[in-house]
Amino acid sequence: MTEEEMRKRLEILKIEHRDLDAAIDALVAAGSIDQLQIARMKKRKLRLKDQMMQIEDYLIPDIIA
């Protein structure tokens, strides 16, 4: 995967992460009693965050000073 492809993938993941966050907030605000669905969405959100961190770590290497 090229650096440009990684940056595009990162943007897609960020958008999906924000969308999931908004959906979870909407369900909670509406008083949804489907806790299993909310838990699954939160788990998916965490997986997205992990994927984003992996890509960011690759794109922005640690600089040892």
Side-chain angles (χ1 to χ4, degrees):
M1 188 180 280
T2 67
E3 187 173 320
E4 184 62 31
E5 291 172 333
M6 292 178 98
R7 291 185 190 283
K8 287 179 184 177
R9 177 72 178 144
L10 182 60
E11 284 305 311
I12 291 168
L13 291 172
K14 285 181 178 182
I15 291 168
E16 188 175 350
H17 188 268
R18 277 193 305 264
D19 290 348
L20 267 175
D21 197 33
I24 291 168
D25 289 344
L27 283 174
V28 171
S32 175
I33 57 170
D34 191 356
Q35 295 300 317
L36 183 59
Q37 180 184 13
I38 293 171
R40 285 180 178 158
M41 292 173 81
K42 286 181 177 182
K43 194 171 189 177
R44 172 73 179 142
K45 191 176 150 191
L46 286 173
R47 283 195 303 268
L48 289 171
K49 184 69 172 178
D50 287 343
Q51 290 175 3
M52 291 181 337
M53 292 301 295
Q54 286 178 341
I55 293 173
E56 287 173 348
D57 285 348
Y58 181 81
L59 292 174
I60 307 167
D62 291 338
I63 299 174
I64 300 173

